[in-house]
Amino acid sequence: DTGVSQDPRHKITKRGQNVTFRCDPISEHNRLYWYRQTLGQGPEFLTYFQNEAQLEKSRLLSDRFSAERPKGSFSTLEIQRTEQGDSAMYLCASSPGGHEQFFGPGTRLTVL
Amino acid sequence: GDSVTQMEGPVTLSEEAFLTINCTYTATGYPSLFWYVQYPGEGLQLLLKATKADDKGSNKGFEATYRKETTSFHLEKGSVQVSDSAVYFCALSIWNYGGSQGNLIFGKGTKLSVKP
C-alpha cells in the first residue's frame, strides 16, 4: 500500500503522560501536514513541513506540542503532559506540492 | 480571516433523491476549493476540486462549481445511493503570489445518511 500511514491508530493515555505519533507520507511527497479533528468539527491545521524544514508552527496549540521530520521522510508529532482537552483525532497529510493533499487514517487519542 | 461555512447536518435522504450541500467561503488571495468525504471508519478522501472561478469539479456523480460572485461551492448529486452515506467536508486552500503553505481550511462537515 503506497498511501499515507499513521501509527498508532488508537492511543489511550493518562493525563500528564507524553505521547508520540508517527506519520509516513507517500514516498517522494515533499510536503507534510498535521491536523487535529475534534468531534463534530472539521480538521484544524497544526503545522507543516517542506522536506525536513518546518515552515509553519505558530498554529501548534501550545508549547506542549512539537513536530519533527528529521530526514524529510516520516514525521512525528509529540504532545507532552497531555490534558483531557487533547483528546481528538490527529491527521497527517502529504502532498507533492500543488493543491491536493492525501490523508492518512488518523490517530485517535483518548486522554483519561 | 479565511473561513468555510457549510450547511449543518445531519441530512437524511431516500435513495435516488437529489442532494445539495451548501458551502460558502471567505478568502483572501486566490483560493482553490475542495470537497472531501469521510466514510465511517476511514480517512479523508478528496472527492473533487476546482482551482479557479467557474471551474466545475466532478467525481462519482458528484459535482460542484466554483462561483466567485457568490463565494460558493455547493455540492450536488442527482441520485444518491446508500453507499454515499458519509461526512462531507468543504475546504479551501490559499495560494498567493508571495508563496503559501497551502494548508486546508475546512468547514465543520455535513453528515449524510441515505436510506434504502
Side-chain angles (χ1 to χ4, degrees):
Chain A
D1 183 31
T2 57
V4 178
S5 62
Q6 293 187 245
D7 185 69
R9 294 290 304 275
H10 303 274
K11 178 70 176 178
I12 300 174
T13 192
K14 293 182 179 179
R15 189 175 53 186
Q17 297 295 304
N18 298 343
V19 294
T20 300
F21 310 140
R22 177 178 170 127
C23 170
D24 286 89
I26 294 172
S27 187
E28 297 179 356
H29 279 193
N30 57 4
R31 289 194 169 202
L32 188 149
Y33 299 83
W34 284 99
Y35 294 84
R36 183 181 79 155
Q37 185 178 15
T38 54
L39 198 61
Q41 302 294 316
E44 173 189 19
F45 170 66
L46 296 179
T47 188
Y48 97 108
F49 294 85
Q50 173 96 14
N51 299 311
E52 66 275 11
Q54 189 175 13
L55 299 185
E56 172 59 64
K57 56 183 179 181
S58 66
R59 307 285 189 89
L60 287 168
L61 300 164
S62 78
D63 58 7
R64 297 184 295 106
F65 287 70
S66 63
E68 293 183 342
R69 193 182 184 196
K71 297 183 179 179
S73 56
F74 74 92
S75 176
T76 58
L77 177 70
E78 182 181 15
I79 309 173
Q80 296 183 327
R81 305 181 302 281
T82 52
E83 302 174 356
Q84 288 186 326
D86 297 331
S87 296
M89 178 76 85
Y90 291 85
L91 300 172
C92 174
S94 70
S95 172
H99 303 284
E100 191 163 348
Q101 294 183 24
F102 297 81
F103 282 82
T107 294
R108 181 169 295 282
L109 173 66
T110 302
V111 182
L112 302 177
Chain B
D2 304 322
S3 65
V4 173
T5 302
Q6 60 182 106
M7 64 186 286
E8 294 189 13
V11 174
T12 302
L13 295 174
S14 298
E15 206 165 23
E16 299 184 3
F18 185 85
L19 169 70
T20 300
I21 301 178
N22 290 335
C23 172
T24 58
Y25 66 88
T26 302
T28 56
Y30 303 94
S32 294
L33 301 174
F34 307 85
W35 279 100
Y36 278 82
V37 58
Q38 191 170 36
Y39 297 103
E42 298 185 17
L44 282 165
Q45 301 175 25
L46 178 65
L47 181 59
L48 54 84
K49 66 180 180 183
T51 58
K52 61 183 187 297
D54 299 325
D55 271 1
K56 178 185 283 188
S58 61
N59 186 27
K60 298 181 181 180
F62 291 89
E63 292 184 340
T65 301
Y66 187 167
R67 302 287 188 197
K68 187 177 179 181
E69 64 276 13
T70 54
T71 62
S72 65
F73 192 56
H74 304 320
L75 182 68
E76 297 182 335
K77 186 175 185 182
S79 177
V80 294
Q81 305 300 312
V82 172
S83 57
D84 294 326
S85 298
V87 181
Y88 292 81
F89 293 92
C90 185
L92 65 82
S93 70
I94 301 292
W95 294 85
N96 297 314
Y97 288 127
S100 170
Q101 59 208 25
N103 61 283
L104 292 163
I105 297 168
F106 287 88
K108 291 185 176 183
T110 303
K111 183 176 182 179
L112 171 66
S113 295
V114 181
K115 307 298 184 185

